[in-house]
Amino acid sequence: MLINYDNLAFDPGTNLLLSKLRIDFVFQPIFELKTMKIVAYEALMRHEKMSPTELIDEYGCTNHLHIIELASLFGATRKFLEHGYYKKLCGVRHT
């Protein structure tokens, strides 16, 4: 499911560019080799039609690279929390 950025309080132009960005995030676990416990997750950006490099190049050429940065920060964080990955990290207290 693609990330919805509608409830973020940015200027209308930024919100419009975010709404047109068709990306999602998947998470790759990072393990501690001695214990084989998951210690972190790496967020990987996925677009419907372009590779991450192609997407970054396209937005960079139009001086909109900050849109990719905002989408990555807010989108990956939202997806991380929605999937409950924080509960699977060793050494993290869950309240």
Side-chain angles (χ1 to χ4, degrees), residues 24-32 37-46 52 56 72-73 75-77 79-81 83 85-86 88-89:
D24 196 8
F25 295 89
V26 295
F27 292 87
Q28 175 174 296
I30 299 172
F31 294 89
E32 181 183 297
K37 290 185 180 180
I38 297 172
V39 295
Y41 285 91
E42 177 182 15
L44 305 172
M45 179 174 52
R46 297 292 183 251
I56 290 167
S72 295
L73 175 66
T77 301
K79 196 81 169 201
F80 184 83
L81 294 173
H83 284 281
Y85 290 121
Y86 63 94
K88 298 177 184 180
L89 296 175

Side-chain angles (χ1 to χ4, degrees), residues 18-75:
L18 283 169
S19 71
K20 291 180 179 182
L21 187 59
R22 310 286 293 168
I23 61 172
D24 196 8
F25 295 89
V26 295
F27 292 87
Q28 175 174 296
I30 299 172
F31 294 89
E32 181 183 297
L33 292 178
K34 289 181 182 179
T35 64
M36 291 308 291
K37 290 185 180 180
I38 297 172
V39 295
Y41 285 91
E42 177 182 15
L44 305 172
M45 179 174 52
R46 297 292 183 251
H47 187 268
E48 290 182 326
K49 297 179 182 176
M50 289 187 258
S51 73
T53 304
E54 292 169 332
L55 188 65
I56 290 167
D57 286 346
E58 180 178 305
Y59 275 71
C61 288
T62 59
N63 291 323
H64 290 119
L65 196 54
H66 65 287
I67 298 298
I68 298 291
E69 293 173 359
L70 286 172
S72 295
L73 175 66
F74 289 100

